[in-house]
Amino acid sequence: MKNLLVITVIVLSLTSFQVKAQQCCPTSKSQTIMEASINQQTTNTVKFKIDGITCAGCSNAIYNALKEVEGVVEHSVEYPGDIAIIKFENTKTNIEALKKIIEKKGYKVEKVIETTQNES
């Protein structure tokens, strides 16, 4: 009987402590919602037509160069087809910077399509 009383006191104490902690620092839901709205990013997707890709090695070189760019979320380089599709955060990079990265590798780049999306 004494053990049951001790367990009940411990459970009530822990419950009381947890409620006080939540009242003191209500960071769970409200902070998560605030962080989500601050971290909302607008992403753009651009499709480039690339002249000069002659093999899979060329497409791999472009792919690896784009992989190093901060702000690139997803990307693919198609050979054959000579197309690069790049999804990026427009707060960290832009179309001109991406184009220059590819041109530095020795290829000619032409923008085909650009779309903007709001991430939530």
Side-chain angles (χ1 to χ4, degrees):
M1 186 70 163
K2 190 175 182 180
N3 288 341
L4 184 60
L5 182 62
V6 171
I7 291 173
T8 305
V9 170
I10 291 173
V11 168
L12 289 174
S13 297
L14 289 174
T15 305
S16 174
F17 177 75
Q18 184 178 13
V19 168
K20 286 180 184 177
Q22 287 177 350
Q23 289 172 349
C24 170
C25 308
T27 58
S28 59
K29 279 188 178 178
S30 61
Q31 185 173 2
T32 304
I33 292 169
M34 186 186 305
E35 287 174 357
S37 63
I38 289 172
N39 289 331
Q40 272 189 338
Q41 297 290 329
T42 301
T43 59
N44 287 9
T45 301
V46 65
K47 183 176 182 181
F48 287 135
K49 172 73 174 149
I50 304 172
D51 290 330
I53 296 179
T54 59
C55 66
C58 296
S59 65
N60 285 338
I62 295 168
Y63 182 88
N64 290 331
L66 291 170
K67 183 168 59 173
E68 300 298 320
V69 178
E70 183 181 356
V72 172
V73 178
E74 295 176 24
H75 66 290
S76 64
V77 182
E78 299 173 12
Y79 174 79
D82 307 342
I83 297 288
I85 301 171
I86 309 161
K87 181 178 180 181
F88 62 95
E89 296 176 21
N90 64 5
T91 57
K92 295 183 180 178
T93 191
N94 59 53
I95 291 174
E96 278 304 310
L98 296 170
K99 187 175 176 180
K100 286 179 184 177
I101 296 282
I102 298 170
E103 288 174 341
K104 279 185 182 179
K105 291 290 180 185
Y107 304 96
K108 186 177 177 188
V109 181
E110 178 183 326
K111 179 175 73 170
V112 178
I113 299 173
E114 176 186 359
T115 59
T116 304
Q117 299 167 337
N118 235 350
E119 294 289 311
S120 28

